[in-house]
C-alpha cells in the first residue's frame, strides 16, 4: 500500500530501479512515500504557518497555473510571497515528476495550500475529506483522464494522518450496483448553465456518484478495510487520488500539486479507473 522511495532531491537523474518501483507502485494503486524529501520553507515563508492565511471560507488556498491566487486572507506583498512559495512548490514537484515518471505529456494543474487543521473542521459529509473517497471534481469533467497528486507536509511538528482504503476494483464492485441511474440531459444542462467546464461524461457522473455514495455510507466508512498512515513533518507523498481510496484525518500545513494525464500515457492503462469501470459495467464511459 505504501511504496517507500529513498529520494532526497527534487531533481533527477534518479536510479532506474527507483523509477521502475515508482511507476509500478503508482499505477498499481500504492501511495509513493518520500520520507527523505522535504519541501523547505524560506525564513520569510514561515509566516504562512498560520491558519489565518486562509480566508476561512474555502478548505484550501489555490494557485492556478495562470498565477491566480484564491481563498487567502492575505493581500499585497504577503499574498505575492505566498503565491511565489506555491509556484516554487509547483516547479519542484514538476521537476521531480519529469525525472521520476515516463509520462511525457502531463498537465500541471492547480496548486493548493492547506493551512487549516483537518481535525475538528465542520462541514457536510459530501465535502468532508475525513471520509474515505476517491477524488472526482463536480465542476471539472475529466472524461477518464487521471488525477495525480503530490503532497508535502510542511508543518513544523505535526504529522499528517491519512486512512488508505481497499483496492479500487473491490470498492467499485460494491458500489457500482448502488449508484443511481444516469439522467440523460443533466450533463448537457450543466454544461449549458456553466456549472461544469465542458460536458460531463458517463465516467464523470459515475465517479461523482461513487464519491458521494461512499461518503454517505456510514457502515462502509466504519467497517471497510483501511490502513492508518502518518506522514511526518518534512516528508512527501504522491498518489493517483482518483483510484486510491483515501481520507485525510488530521494535520495542518500541507502543500499539494495536481497533475492530469491521459490514460494512454500509462504503462498499464487497463489499471485506470475508467478501464476498470468499463470492464465492470460493460459500457463505454467517455
Ligand atoms: Fe481527496
Amino acid at each position: 500500500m505504501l511504496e517507500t522511495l529513498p529520494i532526497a532531491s527534487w531533481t533527477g537523474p534518479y536510479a532506474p530501479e527507483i523509477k521502475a518501483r515508482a511507476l509500478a507502485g503508482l499505477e498499481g494503486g500504492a501511495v509513493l512515500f518520500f520520507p527523505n524529501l522535504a519541501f523547505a520553507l524560506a525564513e520569510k515563508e514561515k509566516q504562512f504557518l498560520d491558519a489565518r492565511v486562509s480566508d476561512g471560507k474555502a478548505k484550501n488556498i489555490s494557485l492556478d497555473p495562470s498565477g491566480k491566487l484564491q481563498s487567502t486572507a492575505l493581500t499585497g506583498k504577503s499574498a505575492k510571497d505566498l503565491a511565489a512559495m506555491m509556484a516554487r512548490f509547483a516547479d519542484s514537484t514538476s521537476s521531480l515528476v519529469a525525472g521520476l515518471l515516463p509520462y511525457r505529456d502531463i498537465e500541471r494543474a492547480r496548486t493548493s495550500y492547506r493551512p487549516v487543521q483537518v481535525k475538528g473542521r465542520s462541514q457536510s459529509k459530501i465535502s468532508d475529506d475525513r471520509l474515505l473517497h476517491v477524488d472526482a471534481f463536480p465542476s471539472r469533467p475529466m472524461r477518464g483522464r487521471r488525477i495525480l497528486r503530490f503532497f508535502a507536509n510542511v508543518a513544523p511538528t505535526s504529522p499528517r494522518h491519512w486512512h488508505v482504503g481497499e483496492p479500487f476494483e473491490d470498492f467499485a464492485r460494491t458500489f457500482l450496483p448502488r449508484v443511481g441511474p444516469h439522467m440523460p440531459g443533466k450533463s448537457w444542462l450543466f454544461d449549458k448553465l456553466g456549472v461544469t467546464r465542458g460536458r460531463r461524461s458517463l465516467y464523470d457522473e459515475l465517479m461523482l456518484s461513487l464519491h458521494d455514495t461512499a461518503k454517505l455510507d456510514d457502515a462502509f466508512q466504519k467497517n471497510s478495510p483501511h490502513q492508518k498512515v502518518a506522514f511526518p513533518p518534512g516528508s512527501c507523498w504522491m498518489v493517483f487520488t482518483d483510484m486510491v481510496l483515501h481520507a485525510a484525518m488530521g494535520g495542518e500545513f500541507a502543500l499539494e500539486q495536481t497533475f492530469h494525464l491521459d490514460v494512454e500515457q500509462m504503462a498499464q492503462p487497463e489499471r485506470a479507473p475508467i478501464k476498470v469501470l468499463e470492464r465492470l459495467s460493460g459500457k463505454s464511459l467517455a
Side-chain angles (χ1 to χ4, degrees):
M1 188 214 50
L2 268 200
E3 178 67 79
T4 304
L5 297 173
I7 285 173
S9 162
W10 293 96
T11 48
Y14 304 110
E17 174 256 341
I18 296 286
K19 289 160 79 165
R21 274 170 54 198
L23 183 63
L26 204 58
E27 294 194 1
V31 177
L32 301 187
F33 175 43
F34 307 96
N36 307 326
L37 185 70
F39 184 72
L41 302 192
E43 211 43 55
K44 67 166 184 188
E45 290 169 346
K46 293 190 177 153
Q47 61 173 307
F48 303 135
L49 298 173
D50 184 331
R52 289 170 300 178
V53 302
S54 160
D55 69 2
K57 290 178 209 133
K59 273 189 281 194
N60 308 321
I61 296 167
S62 69
L63 179 73
D64 73 23
S66 71
K68 187 173 164 205
L69 186 69
Q70 279 175 298
S71 308
T72 178
L74 301 177
T75 54
K77 168 97 170 64
S78 307
K80 247 189 192 156
D81 288 347
L82 176 63
M85 177 183 88
M86 292 172 71
R88 188 162 57 79
F89 180 69
D91 289 342
S92 300
T93 58
S94 298
S95 156
L96 182 134
V97 163
L100 190 63
L101 299 170
Y103 308 138
R104 292 289 67 104
D105 190 7
I106 187 159
E107 178 198 345
R108 172 165 144 178
R110 235 175 221 186
T111 313
S112 70
Y113 179 45
R114 306 165 178 219
V116 181
Q117 173 57 251
V118 171
K119 222 183 281 178
R121 213 163 47 190
S122 78
Q123 58 213 320
S124 74
K125 275 191 186 176
I126 298 293
S127 57
D128 189 349
D129 290 336
R130 292 169 300 187
L131 298 169
L132 281 168
H133 66 282
V134 286
D135 286 350
F137 304 133
S139 63
R140 183 176 172 150
M142 297 302 293
R143 299 182 198 89
R145 269 162 78 76
R146 305 300 313 271
I147 306 171
L148 177 62
R149 289 186 145 166
F150 191 104
F151 298 86
N153 184 358
V154 296
T157 53
S158 40
R160 197 159 186 89
H161 295 279
W162 269 32
H163 287 175
V164 178
E166 64 188 351
F168 182 77
E169 185 158 342
D170 295 352
F171 164 67
R173 277 183 195 281
T174 309
F175 280 92
L176 255 189
R178 289 176 39 188
V179 299
H182 176 62
M183 278 159 55
K186 188 168 119 187
S187 315
W188 175 86
L189 184 68
F190 277 10
D191 182 23
K192 290 292 157 229
L193 293 174
V195 176
T196 55
R197 276 163 54 188
R199 193 163 165 180
R200 279 184 194 161
S201 61
L202 268 178
Y203 171 74
D204 296 294
E205 300 282 0
L206 257 187
M207 289 297 280
L208 285 163
S209 299
L210 289 173
H211 170 276
D212 294 359
T213 311
K215 280 188 172 176
L216 293 170
D217 185 332
D218 294 340
F220 171 77
Q221 291 296 331
K222 197 159 156 249
N223 304 323
S224 74
H226 61 268
Q227 292 191 38
K228 295 177 177 173
V229 193
F231 300 104
S235 72
C236 293
W237 61 104
M238 172 160 57
V239 57
F240 275 120
T241 53
D242 54 0
M243 167 188 195
V244 175
L245 277 157
H246 60 285
M249 306 307 293
E252 52 186 350
F253 311 128
L255 279 159
E256 174 272 331
Q257 177 63 43
T258 302
F259 298 95
H260 298 309
L261 61 138
D262 283 336
V263 168
E264 291 67 36
Q265 298 269 318
M266 298 174 64
Q268 302 179 75
E270 69 279 7
R271 296 271 206 171
I274 188 166
K275 299 292 183 192
V276 173
L277 294 173
E278 286 184 335
R279 180 160 46 78
L280 294 178
S281 68
K283 276 189 216 151
S284 169
L285 298 176

CSV table of all heavy atoms in Angstrom, one decimal, residues 114 129 133-137 142 147 149 151 162 203 207-208 211 215 239-246 256 258:
chain,number,residue,atom,x,y,z
A,114,ARG,N,-2.9,24.0,2.3
A,114,ARG,CA,-4.0,23.6,3.2
A,114,ARG,C,-3.5,23.9,4.7
A,114,ARG,O,-2.9,23.1,5.3
A,114,ARG,CB,-4.2,22.1,3.0
A,114,ARG,CG,-4.5,21.8,1.6
A,114,ARG,CD,-4.4,20.3,1.2
A,114,ARG,NE,-4.8,20.2,-0.2
A,114,ARG,CZ,-5.5,19.2,-0.7
A,114,ARG,NH1,-5.9,18.2,0.0
A,114,ARG,NH2,-5.9,19.2,-2.0
A,129,ASP,N,-13.4,15.6,3.7
A,129,ASP,CA,-12.4,14.7,3.2
A,129,ASP,C,-11.8,13.8,4.3
A,129,ASP,O,-10.8,13.1,4.1
A,129,ASP,CB,-11.3,15.5,2.5
A,129,ASP,CG,-11.8,16.0,1.2
A,129,ASP,OD1,-12.8,15.5,0.6
A,129,ASP,OD2,-11.3,17.0,0.7
A,133,HIS,N,-12.8,8.3,0.3
A,133,HIS,CA,-13.3,8.7,-1.0
A,133,HIS,C,-12.3,8.5,-2.1
A,133,HIS,O,-11.1,8.5,-1.8
A,133,HIS,CB,-13.8,10.1,-1.0
A,133,HIS,CG,-12.7,11.1,-0.8
A,133,HIS,ND1,-12.1,11.3,0.4
A,133,HIS,CD2,-12.1,11.9,-1.7
A,133,HIS,CE1,-11.2,12.3,0.3
A,133,HIS,NE2,-11.1,12.6,-1.0
A,134,VAL,N,-12.7,8.5,-3.4
A,134,VAL,CA,-11.8,8.7,-4.5
A,134,VAL,C,-12.2,10.1,-5.0
A,134,VAL,O,-13.3,10.6,-4.9
A,134,VAL,CB,-11.9,7.7,-5.6
A,134,VAL,CG1,-11.3,6.4,-5.2
A,134,VAL,CG2,-13.4,7.5,-6.0
A,135,ASP,N,-11.2,10.9,-5.5
A,135,ASP,CA,-11.4,12.2,-6.0
A,135,ASP,C,-12.2,12.3,-7.3
A,135,ASP,O,-12.0,11.5,-8.2
A,135,ASP,CB,-10.1,13.0,-6.2
A,135,ASP,CG,-9.4,13.3,-4.9
A,135,ASP,OD1,-10.0,13.2,-3.8
A,135,ASP,OD2,-8.2,13.8,-4.9
A,136,ALA,N,-13.1,13.2,-7.3
A,136,ALA,CA,-13.9,13.5,-8.5
A,136,ALA,C,-14.3,14.9,-8.4
A,136,ALA,O,-14.7,15.4,-7.3
A,136,ALA,CB,-15.1,12.6,-8.6
A,137,PHE,N,-14.1,15.7,-9.5
A,137,PHE,CA,-14.4,17.1,-9.4
A,137,PHE,C,-15.8,17.4,-10.0
A,137,PHE,O,-16.1,17.1,-11.1
A,137,PHE,CB,-13.4,17.9,-10.3
A,137,PHE,CG,-12.0,17.7,-9.9
A,137,PHE,CD1,-11.0,17.4,-10.9
A,137,PHE,CD2,-11.6,17.7,-8.6
A,137,PHE,CE1,-9.7,17.2,-10.5
A,137,PHE,CE2,-10.2,17.5,-8.2
A,137,PHE,CZ,-9.3,17.2,-9.2
A,142,MET,N,-13.4,15.1,-16.3
A,142,MET,CA,-12.1,14.5,-16.6
A,142,MET,C,-12.2,13.6,-17.8
A,142,MET,O,-11.2,13.3,-18.4
A,142,MET,CB,-11.6,13.7,-15.4
A,142,MET,CG,-11.3,14.6,-14.2
A,142,MET,SD,-10.1,15.9,-14.5
A,142,MET,CE,-8.6,15.0,-14.8
A,147,ILE,N,-6.1,11.8,-12.2
A,147,ILE,CA,-5.8,12.8,-11.2
A,147,ILE,C,-4.6,12.3,-10.4
A,147,ILE,O,-4.8,11.4,-9.6
A,147,ILE,CB,-7.0,13.1,-10.3
A,147,ILE,CG1,-8.2,13.5,-11.2
A,147,ILE,CG2,-6.6,14.2,-9.3
A,147,ILE,CD1,-9.5,13.6,-10.3
A,149,ARG,N,-1.7,13.4,-7.6
A,149,ARG,CA,-1.5,14.4,-6.7
A,149,ARG,C,-0.2,14.2,-5.8
A,149,ARG,O,0.0,13.1,-5.4
A,149,ARG,CB,-2.7,14.6,-5.7
A,149,ARG,CG,-3.9,15.2,-6.5
A,149,ARG,CD,-5.0,15.6,-5.7
A,149,ARG,NE,-5.7,16.8,-6.2
A,149,ARG,CZ,-6.9,17.2,-5.8
A,149,ARG,NH1,-7.6,16.6,-4.9
A,149,ARG,NH2,-7.4,18.3,-6.3
A,151,PHE,N,1.9,15.6,-2.5
A,151,PHE,CA,1.6,16.3,-1.2
A,151,PHE,C,3.0,16.5,-0.5
A,151,PHE,O,3.8,15.6,-0.5
A,151,PHE,CB,0.7,15.5,-0.3
A,151,PHE,CG,-0.7,15.3,-0.9
A,151,PHE,CD1,-0.9,14.2,-1.7
A,151,PHE,CD2,-1.7,16.1,-0.5
A,151,PHE,CE1,-2.2,14.0,-2.2
A,151,PHE,CE2,-3.0,15.9,-1.0
A,151,PHE,CZ,-3.3,14.9,-1.9
A,162,TRP,N,-3.5,10.0,7.5
A,162,TRP,CA,-4.4,9.5,6.4
A,162,TRP,C,-5.0,8.2,6.7
A,162,TRP,O,-4.3,7.4,7.5
A,162,TRP,CB,-3.7,9.4,5.1
A,162,TRP,CG,-3.7,10.7,4.2
A,162,TRP,CD1,-3.8,12.0,4.6
A,162,TRP,CD2,-3.6,10.7,2.8
A,162,TRP,NE1,-3.7,12.8,3.5
A,162,TRP,CE2,-3.6,12.0,2.4
A,162,TRP,CE3,-3.6,9.7,1.8
A,162,TRP,CZ2,-3.6,12.4,1.1
A,162,TRP,CZ3,-3.5,10.1,0.5
A,162,TRP,CH2,-3.5,11.4,0.1
A,203,TYR,N,-18.5,8.7,-17.4
A,203,TYR,CA,-17.4,8.4,-16.4
A,203,TYR,C,-17.4,9.4,-15.2
A,203,TYR,O,-17.4,9.0,-14.1
A,203,TYR,CB,-16.0,8.4,-17.1
A,203,TYR,CG,-14.9,8.4,-16.1
A,203,TYR,CD1,-14.5,7.2,-15.5
A,203,TYR,CD2,-14.1,9.5,-15.8
A,203,TYR,CE1,-13.4,7.2,-14.6
A,203,TYR,CE2,-13.0,9.5,-15.0
A,203,TYR,CZ,-12.7,8.3,-14.3
A,203,TYR,OH,-11.7,8.3,-13.4
A,207,MET,N,-18.1,8.6,-11.3
A,207,MET,CA,-17.1,8.8,-10.3
A,207,MET,C,-17.7,9.8,-9.2
A,207,MET,O,-17.4,9.6,-8.0
A,207,MET,CB,-15.9,9.5,-10.9
A,207,MET,CG,-15.0,8.5,-11.8
A,207,MET,SD,-14.3,7.1,-10.8
A,207,MET,CE,-12.9,7.9,-10.0
A,208,LEU,N,-18.5,10.7,-9.6
A,208,LEU,CA,-19.1,11.6,-8.6
A,208,LEU,C,-20.1,10.8,-7.7
A,208,LEU,O,-20.2,11.0,-6.5
A,208,LEU,CB,-19.8,12.8,-9.3
A,208,LEU,CG,-18.9,13.9,-9.9
A,208,LEU,CD1,-19.7,14.8,-10.9
A,208,LEU,CD2,-18.3,14.7,-8.7
A,211,HIS,N,-18.1,8.7,-5.3
A,211,HIS,CA,-17.6,9.6,-4.3
A,211,HIS,C,-18.6,9.9,-3.2
A,211,HIS,O,-18.4,9.8,-2.0
A,211,HIS,CB,-17.1,10.9,-4.9
A,211,HIS,CG,-16.7,12.0,-4.0
A,211,HIS,ND1,-17.7,12.9,-3.5
A,211,HIS,CD2,-15.5,12.4,-3.4
A,211,HIS,CE1,-17.1,13.8,-2.6
A,211,HIS,NE2,-15.8,13.5,-2.6
A,215,LYS,N,-19.2,8.3,0.7
A,215,LYS,CA,-19.1,9.2,1.9
A,215,LYS,C,-20.4,9.2,2.7
A,215,LYS,O,-20.3,9.4,3.9
A,215,LYS,CB,-18.8,10.7,1.4
A,215,LYS,CG,-17.4,11.0,1.1
A,215,LYS,CD,-17.1,12.4,0.9
A,215,LYS,CE,-15.6,12.7,0.8
A,215,LYS,NZ,-15.4,14.2,0.4
A,239,VAL,N,0.2,10.2,-5.2
A,239,VAL,CA,-0.8,9.1,-5.4
A,239,VAL,C,-1.8,9.5,-6.4
A,239,VAL,O,-2.1,10.7,-6.6
A,239,VAL,CB,-1.5,8.8,-4.0
A,239,VAL,CG1,-2.2,10.1,-3.4
A,239,VAL,CG2,-2.5,7.7,-4.1
A,240,PHE,N,-2.3,8.5,-7.1
A,240,PHE,CA,-3.5,8.7,-8.0
A,240,PHE,C,-4.7,8.7,-7.1
A,240,PHE,O,-5.2,7.7,-6.7
A,240,PHE,CB,-3.6,7.5,-9.0
A,240,PHE,CG,-2.7,7.7,-10.3
A,240,PHE,CD1,-1.8,6.7,-10.6
A,240,PHE,CD2,-2.9,8.7,-11.1
A,240,PHE,CE1,-1.0,6.8,-11.7
A,240,PHE,CE2,-2.1,8.9,-12.3
A,240,PHE,CZ,-1.2,7.9,-12.6
A,241,THR,N,-5.2,9.9,-6.9
A,241,THR,CA,-6.3,10.1,-5.9
A,241,THR,C,-7.7,9.7,-6.5
A,241,THR,O,-8.7,9.7,-5.8
A,241,THR,CB,-6.4,11.5,-5.3
A,241,THR,OG1,-6.4,12.4,-6.4
A,241,THR,CG2,-5.2,11.8,-4.4
A,242,ASP,N,-7.7,9.5,-7.9
A,242,ASP,CA,-9.0,9.1,-8.5
A,242,ASP,C,-9.1,7.6,-8.4
A,242,ASP,O,-10.1,7.0,-8.8
A,242,ASP,CB,-9.0,9.5,-10.0
A,242,ASP,CG,-7.8,9.0,-10.8
A,242,ASP,OD1,-6.9,8.4,-10.2
A,242,ASP,OD2,-7.7,9.3,-12.0
A,243,MET,N,-8.1,6.9,-7.8
A,243,MET,CA,-8.1,5.4,-7.7
A,243,MET,C,-7.9,4.9,-6.3
A,243,MET,O,-8.5,3.9,-6.0
A,243,MET,CB,-7.0,5.0,-8.6
A,243,MET,CG,-6.6,3.5,-8.5
A,243,MET,SD,-5.1,3.3,-9.5
A,243,MET,CE,-5.1,1.6,-9.6
A,244,VAL,N,-7.1,5.6,-5.6
A,244,VAL,CA,-6.8,5.1,-4.2
A,244,VAL,C,-7.8,5.8,-3.2
A,244,VAL,O,-7.8,7.0,-3.1
A,244,VAL,CB,-5.3,5.5,-3.8
A,244,VAL,CG1,-5.0,5.1,-2.4
A,244,VAL,CG2,-4.4,4.8,-4.8
A,245,LEU,N,-8.5,4.9,-2.5
A,245,LEU,CA,-9.4,5.4,-1.5
A,245,LEU,C,-8.6,6.1,-0.4
A,245,LEU,O,-7.7,5.4,0.2
A,245,LEU,CB,-10.3,4.3,-0.9
A,245,LEU,CG,-11.5,3.9,-1.8
A,245,LEU,CD1,-11.9,2.5,-1.5
A,245,LEU,CD2,-12.7,4.8,-1.5
A,246,HIS,N,-9.0,7.3,0.0
A,246,HIS,CA,-8.2,8.0,1.0
A,246,HIS,C,-9.0,8.9,1.8
A,246,HIS,O,-10.1,9.3,1.4
A,246,HIS,CB,-7.0,8.8,0.3
A,246,HIS,CG,-7.5,9.8,-0.6
A,246,HIS,ND1,-8.0,9.5,-1.9
A,246,HIS,CD2,-7.7,11.2,-0.5
A,246,HIS,CE1,-8.4,10.6,-2.5
A,246,HIS,NE2,-8.2,11.7,-1.7
A,256,GLU,N,0.0,20.9,-1.9
A,256,GLU,CA,-0.4,19.8,-2.8
A,256,GLU,C,-0.4,20.4,-4.3
A,256,GLU,O,-0.8,21.5,-4.5
A,256,GLU,CB,-1.9,19.4,-2.5
A,256,GLU,CG,-2.5,18.4,-3.4
A,256,GLU,CD,-3.2,19.1,-4.6
A,256,GLU,OE1,-3.7,20.2,-4.4
A,256,GLU,OE2,-3.3,18.5,-5.6
A,258,THR,N,-1.5,19.2,-8.2
A,258,THR,CA,-2.3,18.3,-9.0
A,258,THR,C,-1.8,18.2,-10.4
A,258,THR,O,-1.4,19.2,-11.0
A,258,THR,CB,-3.8,18.7,-9.1
A,258,THR,OG1,-4.3,18.8,-7.8
A,258,THR,CG2,-4.6,17.8,-9.9
